[in-house]
Amino acid sequence: MKAKLEYIWLDGYKPTQSLRSKTMIRSNFDGSLESCPMWSFDGSSTEQAAGNASDCLLKPVAVFPDPQRNNGFLVMTEVLNADGTPHVSNGRATIGDEDDDDFWFGFEQEYFLWDTSTQLPPGFPPGGYPPPQGPYYCSVGAKNAFGRDMVDEHLDVCLDAGLNVEGINAEVAAGQWEFQIFAKAPNAPVMKSGSLVICWNALAKNTAWASTGIRSHLVLRIGTVPVCTPTSRMAACEPLARRKSLPKSVKRSAARSLVTSTCTVLTTISV
């Protein structure tokens, strides 16, 4: 039996990294991380290497079943230099291996769907604006909730893949949605395994497929507002560091450095 292993990583573009992936075919794959080999890619095409020394490595760090492919698997990877050292774009490598249940991380991920036929979010009339915010947040029904079928499909894919998505809801603007994913401790799966990136990969693939079908022209569109800033509206990261024995300033600094070093650019992907 041949298996499809989609290796997923973040490129080196600034200020916003993008998702990249390529698929390896393996025979008699048992679904374990240990059976996922190291792989290479051309870093000169992803802003991660120069053209005269373009080899970069993909180190598998987690594997999930891929509900969108027959006999498929999603392999989250981190980028290494050709000598095996962490690449400068590899924020995940900065997370320690120790467990600490005093740290809680809740990621609230907001995004817009985009109608490629009108170049506007769904629910926006051509050349104009929908009624003011109010009826869209947590709305029910076709009058105010736009793109729900696609959002529900994304939720099913994430849950079938074993990702720790906690919930979804329509947001304050027409065509805007949100999902939440939770982690307790820096070494929790959502942090170390890249579950958050896998969620975005599933959403990007789901909307890209929909845009080519007859049922919809919707694709994913997310603003390039960095997370962990007071002005972040379209992508919000909410770290909660809880340790009674440490001063608040130390807790805030530790939580901020951990989250921003690994997740600053995960939530601002344009497709």
Side-chain angles (χ1 to χ4, degrees):
M1 176 74 70
K2 292 187 180 294
K4 310 178 192 81
L5 280 62
E6 183 180 6
Y7 277 49
I8 299 165
W9 74 98
L10 293 172
D11 65 20
Y13 274 77
K14 296 179 181 180
T16 302
Q17 285 176 284
S18 299
L19 284 167
R20 303 285 181 143
S21 76
K22 62 177 186 172
T23 300
M24 175 188 293
I25 306 300
R26 301 284 288 179
S27 296
N28 303 316
F29 180 67
D30 63 9
S32 68
L33 180 61
E34 293 74 22
S35 297
C36 298
M38 194 92 77
W39 208 4
S40 62
F41 70 96
D42 175 11
S44 68
S45 299
T46 62
E47 295 292 320
Q48 288 168 304
N52 61 350
S54 62
D55 287 344
C56 290
L57 301 176
L58 295 175
K59 176 186 175 183
V61 297
V63 59
F64 304 87
D66 186 350
Q68 295 174 295
R69 274 179 162 178
N70 293 328
N71 204 29
F73 296 86
L74 302 167
V75 182
M76 184 62 204
T77 68
E78 64 177 40
V79 178
L80 305 180
N81 298 310
D83 63 1
T85 58
H87 191 272
V88 65
S89 65
N90 179 3
R92 180 194 173 277
T94 66
I95 306 177
D97 291 328
E98 69 280 354
D99 287 316
D100 189 340
D101 285 342
D102 288 334
F103 285 91
W104 290 14
F105 298 91
F107 297 92
E108 180 185 277
Q109 306 290 280
E110 299 182 17
Y111 61 94
F112 277 88
L113 296 173
W114 197 258
D115 190 330
T116 58
S117 65
T118 64
Q119 293 302 309
L120 292 168
F124 279 58
Y129 298 92
Q133 73 175 53
Y136 311 110
Y137 175 70
C138 295
S139 59
V140 176
K143 180 179 180 181
N144 296 316
F146 303 96
R148 181 179 290 279
D149 57 342
M150 192 176 303
V151 173
D152 283 343
E153 286 180 17
H154 172 244
L155 177 61
D156 288 341
V157 168
C158 289
L159 296 179
D160 289 345
L163 303 173
N164 191 34
V165 175
E166 297 273 320
I168 62 169
N169 61 267
E171 259 299 333
V172 298
Q176 185 184 17
W177 291 84
E178 171 187 313
F179 67 88
Q180 306 93 33
I181 187 166
F182 174 75
K184 185 176 182 180
N187 204 23
V190 70
M191 297 295 291
K192 290 289 284 186
S193 71
S195 297
L196 186 60
V197 182
I198 301 296
C199 282
W200 283 116
N201 182 72
L203 184 57
K205 287 172 63 178
N206 197 43
T207 53
W209 172 84
S211 70
T212 63
I214 59 174
R215 66 171 190 153
S216 175
H217 294 286
L218 300 185
V219 296
L220 174 66
R221 188 179 181 99
I222 304 172
T224 54
V225 182
V227 299
C228 297
T229 66
T231 58
S232 176
R233 294 288 184 180
M234 296 176 70
C237 172
E238 301 176 353
L240 300 176
R242 305 189 182 279
R243 179 177 288 183
K244 294 181 179 179
S245 60
L246 292 178
K248 288 184 178 179
S249 60
V250 175
K251 291 194 294 181
R252 288 174 184 152
S253 176
R256 187 178 298 112
S257 63
L258 176 60
V259 173
T260 55
S261 66
T262 58
C263 302
T264 300
V265 292
L266 304 192
T267 61
T268 56
I269 303 160
S270 296
V271 174

